[in-house]
Amino acid sequence: MRSKAEKPSENLLDELQAALSHGTVARRVETLRRVTDLFVGNAVDYSDDHIRVFDDVFECLIEQIETSARALLADRLAPIPAAPPKIIRTLALDEVIEVAGPVLTKSERLDEATLIEIARTRGQAHLKAISLRRVLSEALTDVLVTRGNEDVVQSTVSNPGARLSEEGLTDLVTRAERDDDLATCIGLRPDLPRHHYLKLVAKASMSVRRKLEAAHPELADEVSSVVQEAAQRVSAAATTRQTEMARALVKSLHEDGRLTEFQITTFAEQGKFDETNAGLAALAGVAVQTAETMMVESRTEGVMILAKVAGMQWSSVRAIIAMREKLSGGSPADMLALRDTYEALRSSTAQQVLRFQRMQSATPAA
């Protein structure tokens, strides 16, 4: 009695040879259909040896059939986890998107290296297909958001299975300043780090305000108030569990007398935005939300004012500024010039500015 592996190997390869030697196009397509039916119907039962046999059969047939038949093969094999890997790679590399698309979007057989290769070399349609995959690694999303057009980028960002790197997020948030649709896609991601979210909301709210005021100039003051209040509500609602835990830790340290300048510097050096912000707010005697506003603004004066009120040394301030640069992806600051500015800043002046900041925060929008 012959095994399942021997049967497709002998019978189908014989039929394949006949079809390729003197068969019509219709016969070749019919042979492919029969091979595909056999594989799809029993895929879960085949061993690796069986799958290799089918891989050889498909590879022989794929060179002899037209686009529509290749596209049908791709559509049928793409959802199967145990699909033959060589033919899956061949289909994925096809320049015709109708053939490559189903495999690029659905196949779990495609390895990371092949996906990145295709993302780096193929056109936007192929990138869009990849962006729809159930899971996307940081390395893959970096290529997609770098090479992809607007549609590809939004598709990638909207994909809940896409992991976005710190560098990729920094670039996306910057680009979102000019793209409200992209800003919305980014802002809806549940895994968006708070420092990116705060920067995004600050920029997006300004963009929305300008558009609404341009459309209804007679309601400019009212629109400004509504947008500001909405941004405040959204920012408050965006406090994640991680943020709450960070603030609780800092509050405990502060109440126990263990919150020191050295501890805040350590938080900054470790890139812990929430802990650094909460610690700086505690030592400066301001609300955490006030400190956040001053921490995420584009200029560094806010950080230096908070630090001066808190009585911090320049080495600590430098660590906090360096953290902001790393998280935001901004250009390197002139630390020597900033040091001179910080050392020249009077504590009384910093306190006056901070009092004004508190007053502005407490005053309802006009």
Side-chain angles (χ1 to χ4, degrees):
M1 182 175 178
R2 290 181 297 184
S3 70
K4 188 180 293 185
E6 290 171 338
K7 185 174 181 180
S9 177
E10 295 175 6
N11 294 354
L12 292 180
L13 285 177
D14 287 344
E15 182 176 339
L16 173 66
Q17 182 175 355
L20 295 182
S21 297
H22 43 266
T24 63
V25 172
R27 182 172 181 179
R28 290 198 297 271
V29 172
E30 176 61 19
T31 301
L32 177 66
R33 184 192 65 77
R34 290 186 56 199
V35 172
T36 308
D37 286 344
L38 181 60
F39 178 79
V40 172
N42 302 277
V44 295
D45 298 323
Y46 291 130
S47 68
D48 290 343
D49 288 338
H50 301 155
I51 292 172
R52 278 192 287 271
V53 171
F54 278 100
D55 225 348
D56 291 338
V57 172
F58 284 129
E59 284 291 323
C60 289
L61 281 171
I62 197 72
E63 298 177 358
Q64 303 293 328
I65 60 175
E66 65 274 12
T67 298
S68 60
R70 297 201 314 275
L72 180 60
L73 176 63
D75 193 58
R76 297 191 66 188
L77 293 183
I80 301 177
K86 288 193 298 183
I87 190 62
I88 287 293
R89 174 178 165 82
T90 299
L91 293 170
L93 289 168
D94 200 298
E95 294 185 357
V96 179
I97 188 58
E98 288 76 13
V99 177
V103 176
L104 293 176
T105 298
K106 300 176 183 178
S107 179
E108 297 179 7
R109 273 294 203 177
L110 278 177
D111 59 276
E112 179 87 349
T114 299
L115 285 167
I116 291 178
E117 174 189 350
I118 294 171
R120 287 175 174 167
T121 58
R122 290 294 191 262
Q124 297 300 317
H126 287 67
L127 270 64
K128 175 64 180 291
I130 295 174
S131 75
L132 298 172
R133 290 180 67 83
R134 184 176 61 85
V135 176
L136 296 172
S137 68
E138 288 187 2
L140 191 51
T141 58
D142 280 345
V143 180
L144 292 176
V145 300
T146 299
R147 289 199 67 235
N149 59 18
E150 181 178 313
D151 188 32
V152 171
V153 172
Q154 289 194 20
S155 177
T156 302
V157 174
S158 300
N159 185 342
R163 295 174 54 194
L164 300 174
S165 68
E166 178 68 28
E167 181 179 351
L169 274 172
T170 298
D171 177 59
L172 285 168
V173 170
T174 300
R175 290 160 67 175
E177 296 177 14
R178 304 178 300 275
D179 187 338
D180 283 350
D181 291 335
L182 178 59
T184 301
C185 290
I186 299 172
L188 290 175
R189 288 188 63 90
D191 60 345
L192 183 64
R194 186 170 177 79
H195 59 278
H196 283 304
Y197 183 85
L198 293 170
K199 182 177 180 181
L200 182 70
V201 168
K203 299 295 183 181
S205 64
M206 292 293 291
S207 175
V208 171
R209 182 184 293 119
R210 283 196 296 268
K211 287 187 175 182
L212 292 177
E213 288 179 352
H216 304 283
E218 73 280 6
L219 300 175
D221 290 340
E222 182 179 347
V223 166
S224 179
S225 175
V226 169
V227 171
Q228 182 172 341
E229 290 175 5
Q232 290 172 348
R233 288 196 301 271
V234 172
S235 179
T239 301
T240 64
R241 177 60 179 164
Q242 182 179 354
T243 302
E244 292 174 352
M245 292 174 63
R247 292 178 179 178
L249 169 64
V250 172
K251 181 180 179 182
S252 176
L253 293 174
H254 187 51
E255 290 176 347
D256 294 344
R258 294 180 291 134
L259 182 63
T260 63
E261 178 179 342
F262 175 76
Q263 180 64 71
I264 296 175
T265 303
T266 302
F267 286 147
E269 290 173 344
Q270 295 173 345
K272 296 182 177 181
F273 174 85
D274 290 322
E275 289 85 346
T276 303
N277 178 74
L280 190 55
L283 291 191
V286 299
V288 175
Q289 291 79 6
T290 299
E292 275 186 343
T293 301
M294 300 175 74
M295 281 279 281
V296 299
E297 62 185 12
S298 58
R299 298 172 66 85
T300 58
E301 282 81 352
V303 173
M304 292 195 288
I305 288 168
L306 289 169
K308 180 65 72 170
V309 172
M312 287 185 166
Q313 299 296 316
W314 164 248
S315 57
S316 300
V317 183
R318 181 177 58 198
I320 297 173
I321 293 175
M323 177 198 69
R324 290 175 73 251
E325 288 180 357
K326 183 177 181 181
L327 293 177
S328 67
S331 303
D334 185 347
M335 289 296 184
L336 291 178
L338 290 177
R339 182 194 63 187
D340 293 340
T341 300
Y342 183 71
E343 292 179 348
L345 178 63
R346 296 168 135 192
S347 178
S348 58
T349 302
Q351 290 172 352
Q352 288 176 349
V353 174
L354 197 54
R355 280 196 295 270
F356 179 77
Q357 181 74 22
R358 287 198 195 101
M359 181 183 69
Q360 291 291 98
S361 300
T363 301

